[in-house]
Amino acid sequence: MTSHSASAAGAHYTWDDFIALEEDDLRELIDGELVEVEVLTHSHEKIVMRLGTSLTNWSDAGHGGVALASGYKVRVSDRRGLMPDVQFYRRGNEVSSDQEQGLVRGRADLVVEVVSPSSRRFDRVKKLNWYAQLGVPEYWIVDPQEQTLEHLVLREGAYVIAASLEGEEVFRPGSFEGMEISLAKLWA
């Protein structure tokens, strides 16, 4: 991740600056700085779409809820804001209509990050801690390069590994009854 800012180094941006960015400006708000995320690759976007589709299909099969792909902003604090690759809000935990520009109150039921070589540490340390701070019950970390998926669940304020899969295994998250995600299809 590289810092990108038109104004002087050390500028202090806030949530209001973050949500005012143009729709195609993919920077995240990290400790008061607007930080460029890595250019999204074909593989990254394909995985995001497959996971979003799996969650949407599960929802449409009668479970309810809504999946959102890259771009919907989540407020961590006034100086921190993220755009998870995929978010899922269960029935009864939908985003209120007054949060169209970004989630200020509440939390997703699931966030998914598809890591890249340059974001691996950030997704596994900082974002992990920030999502835990928000109380997000589940966090899936998908690593296309290593062909792994880690299913983390929040327990007493910290994430623990519920499942760690690789290669061509089939992911069956217990919190999404009946869902099956073939990892082979993610990497194809």
Side-chain angles (χ1 to χ4, degrees), residues 39-55 69-70 85-86 112-115 142 144-145 147 181-188:
V39 174
L40 304 177
T41 65
H42 177 267
S43 297
H44 178 280
E45 291 301 275
K46 183 178 65 173
I47 291 168
V48 166
M49 285 300 296
R50 286 196 185 275
L51 292 172
T53 299
S54 292
L55 289 161
S70 309
D85 290 323
V86 179
V112 181
E113 292 289 354
V114 179
V115 303
V142 180
Q145 185 175 0
Q147 295 189 346
I181 298 172
S182 167
L183 296 190
K185 288 185 178 178
L186 298 181
W187 324 134

Short mmCIF file of all heavy atoms in Angstrom, two decimals, residues 39-55 69-70 85-86 112-115 142 144-145 147 181-188:
data_model
loop_
_atom_site.label_atom_id
_atom_site.label_comp_id
_atom_site.label_asym_id
_atom_site.label_seq_id
_atom_site.Cartn_x
_atom_site.Cartn_y
_atom_site.Cartn_z
N VAL A 39 -3.97 -1.84 -7.00
CA VAL A 39 -4.82 -1.95 -8.18
C VAL A 39 -5.44 -3.35 -8.17
O VAL A 39 -4.75 -4.36 -8.01
CB VAL A 39 -4.01 -1.72 -9.47
CG1 VAL A 39 -4.86 -1.98 -10.69
CG2 VAL A 39 -3.43 -0.31 -9.48
N LEU A 40 -6.75 -3.39 -8.32
CA LEU A 40 -7.46 -4.65 -8.27
C LEU A 40 -7.20 -5.46 -9.53
O LEU A 40 -7.27 -4.94 -10.64
CB LEU A 40 -8.96 -4.39 -8.11
CG LEU A 40 -9.33 -3.54 -6.88
CD1 LEU A 40 -10.82 -3.28 -6.84
CD2 LEU A 40 -8.85 -4.19 -5.61
N THR A 41 -6.89 -6.73 -9.34
CA THR A 41 -6.57 -7.61 -10.47
C THR A 41 -7.81 -8.38 -10.91
O THR A 41 -8.82 -8.45 -10.21
CB THR A 41 -5.49 -8.62 -10.07
OG1 THR A 41 -6.03 -9.48 -9.05
CG2 THR A 41 -4.23 -7.93 -9.58
N HIS A 42 -7.70 -8.99 -12.07
CA HIS A 42 -8.75 -9.84 -12.60
C HIS A 42 -9.10 -10.95 -11.62
O HIS A 42 -10.27 -11.19 -11.31
CB HIS A 42 -8.29 -10.42 -13.95
CG HIS A 42 -9.26 -11.36 -14.57
ND1 HIS A 42 -9.21 -12.72 -14.36
CD2 HIS A 42 -10.33 -11.13 -15.37
CE1 HIS A 42 -10.20 -13.29 -15.02
NE2 HIS A 42 -10.90 -12.35 -15.63
N SER A 43 -8.09 -11.64 -11.09
CA SER A 43 -8.31 -12.74 -10.13
C SER A 43 -9.02 -12.23 -8.88
O SER A 43 -9.95 -12.88 -8.38
CB SER A 43 -6.99 -13.38 -9.73
OG SER A 43 -6.37 -13.95 -10.84
N HIS A 44 -8.58 -11.11 -8.36
CA HIS A 44 -9.18 -10.52 -7.16
C HIS A 44 -10.67 -10.27 -7.38
O HIS A 44 -11.51 -10.69 -6.58
CB HIS A 44 -8.46 -9.21 -6.82
CG HIS A 44 -9.01 -8.50 -5.63
ND1 HIS A 44 -10.14 -7.72 -5.70
CD2 HIS A 44 -8.58 -8.45 -4.35
CE1 HIS A 44 -10.39 -7.21 -4.50
NE2 HIS A 44 -9.46 -7.64 -3.66
N GLU A 45 -10.99 -9.60 -8.46
CA GLU A 45 -12.38 -9.24 -8.73
C GLU A 45 -13.24 -10.47 -9.02
O GLU A 45 -14.41 -10.52 -8.64
CB GLU A 45 -12.47 -8.23 -9.87
CG GLU A 45 -11.91 -6.87 -9.47
CD GLU A 45 -12.64 -6.27 -8.29
OE1 GLU A 45 -13.69 -5.63 -8.47
OE2 GLU A 45 -12.17 -6.46 -7.13
N LYS A 46 -12.67 -11.48 -9.67
CA LYS A 46 -13.41 -12.71 -9.93
C LYS A 46 -13.77 -13.40 -8.62
O LYS A 46 -14.91 -13.86 -8.42
CB LYS A 46 -12.58 -13.64 -10.82
CG LYS A 46 -13.29 -14.92 -11.21
CD LYS A 46 -12.43 -15.77 -12.12
CE LYS A 46 -11.21 -16.19 -11.34
NZ LYS A 46 -10.35 -17.13 -12.01
N ILE A 47 -12.83 -13.45 -7.69
CA ILE A 47 -13.08 -14.08 -6.38
C ILE A 47 -14.13 -13.28 -5.61
O ILE A 47 -15.05 -13.86 -5.02
CB ILE A 47 -11.76 -14.22 -5.59
CG1 ILE A 47 -10.86 -15.26 -6.27
CG2 ILE A 47 -12.04 -14.58 -4.14
CD1 ILE A 47 -9.43 -15.29 -5.75
N VAL A 48 -14.02 -11.95 -5.62
CA VAL A 48 -15.00 -11.10 -4.95
C VAL A 48 -16.40 -11.38 -5.50
O VAL A 48 -17.36 -11.55 -4.74
CB VAL A 48 -14.63 -9.61 -5.09
CG1 VAL A 48 -15.80 -8.70 -4.71
CG2 VAL A 48 -13.40 -9.29 -4.25
N MET A 49 -16.52 -11.47 -6.83
CA MET A 49 -17.83 -11.73 -7.44
C MET A 49 -18.37 -13.11 -7.08
O MET A 49 -19.55 -13.27 -6.78
CB MET A 49 -17.74 -11.57 -8.96
CG MET A 49 -17.65 -10.13 -9.41
SD MET A 49 -19.08 -9.13 -8.91
CE MET A 49 -20.38 -9.94 -9.83
N ARG A 50 -17.49 -14.12 -7.10
CA ARG A 50 -17.95 -15.48 -6.76
C ARG A 50 -18.45 -15.54 -5.32
O ARG A 50 -19.48 -16.15 -5.04
CB ARG A 50 -16.85 -16.49 -6.99
CG ARG A 50 -16.60 -16.80 -8.46
CD ARG A 50 -15.79 -18.07 -8.61
NE ARG A 50 -15.44 -18.34 -9.98
CZ ARG A 50 -16.23 -18.98 -10.84
NH1 ARG A 50 -17.41 -19.41 -10.46
NH2 ARG A 50 -15.83 -19.20 -12.08
N LEU A 51 -17.72 -14.93 -4.40
CA LEU A 51 -18.13 -14.94 -3.00
C LEU A 51 -19.41 -14.13 -2.79
O LEU A 51 -20.32 -14.55 -2.07
CB LEU A 51 -17.00 -14.43 -2.11
CG LEU A 51 -15.78 -15.35 -2.04
CD1 LEU A 51 -14.64 -14.66 -1.30
CD2 LEU A 51 -16.12 -16.68 -1.39
N GLY A 52 -19.47 -12.97 -3.43
CA GLY A 52 -20.68 -12.15 -3.34
C GLY A 52 -21.89 -12.88 -3.91
O GLY A 52 -22.99 -12.81 -3.34
N THR A 53 -21.69 -13.59 -5.01
CA THR A 53 -22.77 -14.37 -5.62
C THR A 53 -23.20 -15.51 -4.70
O THR A 53 -24.41 -15.75 -4.52
CB THR A 53 -22.33 -14.91 -6.99
OG1 THR A 53 -22.04 -13.79 -7.84
CG2 THR A 53 -23.41 -15.76 -7.63
N SER A 54 -22.25 -16.19 -4.10
CA SER A 54 -22.58 -17.28 -3.17
C SER A 54 -23.42 -16.76 -2.01
O SER A 54 -24.42 -17.38 -1.61
CB SER A 54 -21.31 -17.94 -2.62
OG SER A 54 -20.63 -18.62 -3.63
N LEU A 55 -23.03 -15.62 -1.46
CA LEU A 55 -23.77 -15.03 -0.34
C LEU A 55 -25.16 -14.55 -0.78
O LEU A 55 -26.15 -14.74 -0.07
CB LEU A 55 -22.98 -13.89 0.29
CG LEU A 55 -21.74 -14.34 1.08
CD1 LEU A 55 -20.77 -13.19 1.26
CD2 LEU A 55 -22.15 -14.93 2.43
N ALA A 69 -20.44 -5.79 -2.45
CA ALA A 69 -19.07 -5.97 -2.94
C ALA A 69 -18.28 -4.68 -2.74
O ALA A 69 -18.83 -3.67 -2.32
CB ALA A 69 -19.08 -6.38 -4.41
N SER A 70 -17.00 -4.75 -3.06
CA SER A 70 -16.05 -3.64 -2.89
C SER A 70 -16.70 -2.28 -3.12
O SER A 70 -17.46 -2.10 -4.05
CB SER A 70 -14.92 -3.80 -3.91
OG SER A 70 -14.37 -5.08 -3.86
N ASP A 85 -13.71 -6.07 0.83
CA ASP A 85 -13.97 -6.61 -0.50
C ASP A 85 -15.40 -7.14 -0.61
O ASP A 85 -16.05 -6.98 -1.64
CB ASP A 85 -12.97 -7.72 -0.83
CG ASP A 85 -11.59 -7.16 -1.05
OD1 ASP A 85 -11.47 -6.06 -1.63
OD2 ASP A 85 -10.60 -7.81 -0.65
N VAL A 86 -15.90 -7.77 0.43
CA VAL A 86 -17.28 -8.25 0.49
C VAL A 86 -17.77 -8.02 1.92
O VAL A 86 -17.02 -8.22 2.88
CB VAL A 86 -17.41 -9.75 0.14
CG1 VAL A 86 -18.85 -10.22 0.22
CG2 VAL A 86 -16.82 -10.06 -1.24
N VAL A 112 -15.17 -9.91 4.22
CA VAL A 112 -14.23 -10.75 3.50
C VAL A 112 -13.17 -9.85 2.89
O VAL A 112 -13.50 -8.83 2.28
CB VAL A 112 -14.93 -11.54 2.36
CG1 VAL A 112 -13.93 -12.43 1.63
CG2 VAL A 112 -16.11 -12.35 2.89
N GLU A 113 -11.92 -10.24 3.04
CA GLU A 113 -10.82 -9.55 2.36
C GLU A 113 -10.10 -10.57 1.50
O GLU A 113 -9.78 -11.67 1.96
CB GLU A 113 -9.84 -8.93 3.36
CG GLU A 113 -10.40 -7.77 4.16
CD GLU A 113 -10.64 -6.49 3.38
OE1 GLU A 113 -10.27 -6.42 2.18
OE2 GLU A 113 -11.20 -5.56 3.97
N VAL A 114 -9.90 -10.21 0.25
CA VAL A 114 -9.11 -11.01 -0.69
C VAL A 114 -7.74 -10.35 -0.72
O VAL A 114 -7.60 -9.24 -1.23
CB VAL A 114 -9.77 -11.06 -2.09
CG1 VAL A 114 -8.92 -11.88 -3.05
CG2 VAL A 114 -11.19 -11.62 -1.99
N VAL A 115 -6.76 -11.02 -0.15
CA VAL A 115 -5.45 -10.40 0.03
C VAL A 115 -4.61 -10.43 -1.23
O VAL A 115 -4.76 -11.30 -2.08
CB VAL A 115 -4.67 -11.03 1.21
CG1 VAL A 115 -5.46 -10.95 2.49
CG2 VAL A 115 -4.28 -12.46 0.92
N VAL A 142 -9.15 -14.49 2.28
CA VAL A 142 -8.92 -15.33 1.11
C VAL A 142 -7.60 -14.91 0.48
O VAL A 142 -7.38 -13.74 0.20
CB VAL A 142 -10.07 -15.17 0.08
CG1 VAL A 142 -9.84 -16.05 -1.13
CG2 VAL A 142 -11.42 -15.48 0.74
N PRO A 144 -5.48 -15.69 -2.75
CA PRO A 144 -5.41 -16.37 -4.04
C PRO A 144 -4.02 -16.93 -4.37
O PRO A 144 -3.91 -17.98 -4.99
CB PRO A 144 -5.78 -15.28 -5.06
CG PRO A 144 -6.27 -14.13 -4.28
CD PRO A 144 -5.82 -14.29 -2.87
N GLN A 145 -2.98 -16.23 -3.94
CA GLN A 145 -1.62 -16.68 -4.25
C GLN A 145 -1.33 -18.00 -3.54
O GLN A 145 -0.75 -18.92 -4.12
CB GLN A 145 -0.61 -15.62 -3.84
CG GLN A 145 0.80 -15.97 -4.23
CD GLN A 145 1.77 -14.83 -3.92
OE1 GLN A 145 1.41 -13.78 -3.42
NE2 GLN A 145 3.04 -15.06 -4.23
N GLN A 147 -3.73 -19.89 -2.29
CA GLN A 147 -4.95 -20.69 -2.46
C GLN A 147 -5.47 -21.19 -1.11
O GLN A 147 -5.71 -22.38 -0.90
CB GLN A 147 -4.73 -21.84 -3.44
CG GLN A 147 -4.44 -21.35 -4.83
CD GLN A 147 -4.43 -22.45 -5.87
OE1 GLN A 147 -4.40 -23.65 -5.56
NE2 GLN A 147 -4.49 -22.06 -7.13
N ILE A 181 -18.94 -23.59 -0.76
CA ILE A 181 -18.13 -22.81 -1.71
C ILE A 181 -16.94 -23.68 -2.08
O ILE A 181 -16.10 -24.01 -1.24
CB ILE A 181 -17.65 -21.48 -1.09
CG1 ILE A 181 -18.85 -20.60 -0.73
CG2 ILE A 181 -16.70 -20.75 -2.05
CD1 ILE A 181 -18.50 -19.36 0.07
N SER A 182 -16.87 -24.05 -3.36
CA SER A 182 -15.74 -24.84 -3.86
C SER A 182 -14.55 -23.90 -4.06
O SER A 182 -14.60 -22.99 -4.88
CB SER A 182 -16.11 -25.49 -5.19
OG SER A 182 -14.96 -25.99 -5.81
N LEU A 183 -13.49 -24.13 -3.29
CA LEU A 183 -12.31 -23.26 -3.43
C LEU A 183 -11.72 -23.37 -4.84
O LEU A 183 -11.20 -22.39 -5.37
CB LEU A 183 -11.26 -23.60 -2.39
CG LEU A 183 -11.66 -23.35 -0.93
CD1 LEU A 183 -10.43 -23.51 -0.02
CD2 LEU A 183 -12.31 -22.00 -0.71
N ALA A 184 -11.81 -24.55 -5.44
CA ALA A 184 -11.28 -24.73 -6.80
C ALA A 184 -11.88 -23.71 -7.76
O ALA A 184 -11.19 -23.19 -8.65
CB ALA A 184 -11.54 -26.15 -7.29
N LYS A 185 -13.17 -23.36 -7.57
CA LYS A 185 -13.82 -22.39 -8.45
C LYS A 185 -13.29 -20.97 -8.19
O LYS A 185 -13.33 -20.14 -9.08
CB LYS A 185 -15.33 -22.43 -8.28
CG LYS A 185 -15.94 -23.68 -8.86
CD LYS A 185 -17.43 -23.64 -8.78
CE LYS A 185 -18.01 -24.90 -9.43
NZ LYS A 185 -19.47 -24.93 -9.34
N LEU A 186 -12.82 -20.72 -6.97
CA LEU A 186 -12.25 -19.41 -6.70
C LEU A 186 -10.94 -19.21 -7.45
O LEU A 186 -10.63 -18.11 -7.90
CB LEU A 186 -12.01 -19.21 -5.20
CG LEU A 186 -13.21 -19.23 -4.27
CD1 LEU A 186 -12.76 -18.98 -2.84
CD2 LEU A 186 -14.26 -18.19 -4.70
N TRP A 187 -10.16 -20.27 -7.56
CA TRP A 187 -8.84 -20.14 -8.16
C TRP A 187 -8.87 -20.34 -9.68
O TRP A 187 -7.90 -20.05 -10.36
CB TRP A 187 -7.85 -21.14 -7.56
CG TRP A 187 -8.01 -21.43 -6.09
CD1 TRP A 187 -8.00 -22.66 -5.51
CD2 TRP A 187 -8.15 -20.50 -5.02
NE1 TRP A 187 -8.15 -22.55 -4.16
CE2 TRP A 187 -8.24 -21.24 -3.80
CE3 TRP A 187 -8.23 -19.11 -4.93
CZ2 TRP A 187 -8.41 -20.64 -2.56
CZ3 TRP A 187 -8.40 -18.52 -3.68
CH2 TRP A 187 -8.48 -19.27 -2.53
N ALA A 188 -9.96 -20.87 -10.21
CA ALA A 188 -10.04 -21.21 -11.66
C ALA A 188 -9.97 -19.98 -12.54
O ALA A 188 -10.40 -18.92 -12.19
CB ALA A 188 -11.32 -21.98 -11.93
#
